[in-house]
Amino acid sequence: MFDILMYLFENYVHSEIELLVDEDELTKELTRAGFHQVDIIKALAWLEHLADLQESDQPYLCNHAQHSFRIYTKQEMAKLDVQCRGFLLFLEQIQVLSVETREMVIDRVMDLDEPALVLEDLKWVILMVLFNVPGNESAYEQMEDLIFEQPDGRLHS
């Protein structure tokens, strides 16, 4: 399922090609690309739930104190290792993620059918969430820079 999400993001969203609105056409295209029907349905449901998060009354999508501390459940810790959780905290500290977008990321991570996520995959989930939440254009651009920026090897100029 994660491969399909990456495929859609790279080929439609990230490349700024208009995403097909017809779910049947999109399913046919993904099938032609070699993805299995069951995985396609899961991926499309995942994306639909991401869109629904913006309009729902989820308890974590309200104003929280920006100085709160997140305690992860056992299931979340199993899926997000220390490196991933540290990266989420780092993104909050540099204000790429807010409390609300962090919770959206965790929600979407927990809905993936992967037993655990590596940091590189988490970065893509974060990018997808930020892209889909209005008003986070600057955070999206910062996250894009963190993913695609190639260090030149120099520590000091």
Side-chain angles (χ1 to χ4, degrees), residues 95-98 101 126-127 130 135-146:
Q95 298 179 347
V96 169
L97 290 179
S98 65
T101 54
I126 294 166
L127 205 57
L130 290 174
N136 282 287
E137 292 79 13
S138 175
Y140 175 83
E141 289 173 9
Q142 285 180 277
M143 190 63 205
E144 238 185 352
D145 289 344
L146 287 171

Side-chain angles (χ1 to χ4, degrees), residues 28-114:
K28 287 176 188 175
E29 166 138 359
L30 291 169
T31 302
R32 285 191 300 270
F35 296 110
H36 297 285
Q37 185 78 22
V38 172
D39 294 329
I40 293 168
I41 292 167
K42 287 180 186 177
L44 294 177
W46 189 94
L47 288 169
E48 190 174 313
H49 191 131
L50 174 59
D52 290 345
L53 284 177
Q54 298 172 50
E55 300 169 7
S56 73
D57 295 328
Q58 296 289 336
Y60 54 79
L61 296 181
C62 59
N63 293 328
H64 286 87
Q66 294 300 316
H67 302 298
S68 61
F69 185 78
R70 177 64 154 83
I71 302 202
Y72 291 86
T73 66
K74 286 181 185 180
Q75 295 85 359
E76 291 168 342
M77 288 192 294
K79 196 166 266 204
L80 294 165
D81 65 13
V82 171
Q83 187 179 24
C84 289
R85 294 189 312 265
F87 188 68
L88 289 172
L89 179 61
F90 166 72
L91 291 178
E92 277 187 87
Q93 291 172 339
I94 65 169
Q95 298 179 347
V96 169
L97 290 179
S98 65
V99 172
E100 291 79 17
T101 54
R102 177 201 62 209
E103 291 304 314
M104 291 175 83
V105 167
I106 294 169
D107 179 88
R108 297 295 70 225
V109 164
M110 296 308 293
D111 200 31
L112 289 171
D113 57 0
E114 309 288 325

Side-chain angles (χ1 to χ4, degrees), residues 113-125:
D113 57 0
E114 309 288 325
L117 230 59
V118 295
L119 182 58
E120 289 307 309
D121 291 346
L122 174 64
K123 289 177 181 179
W124 284 101
V125 172

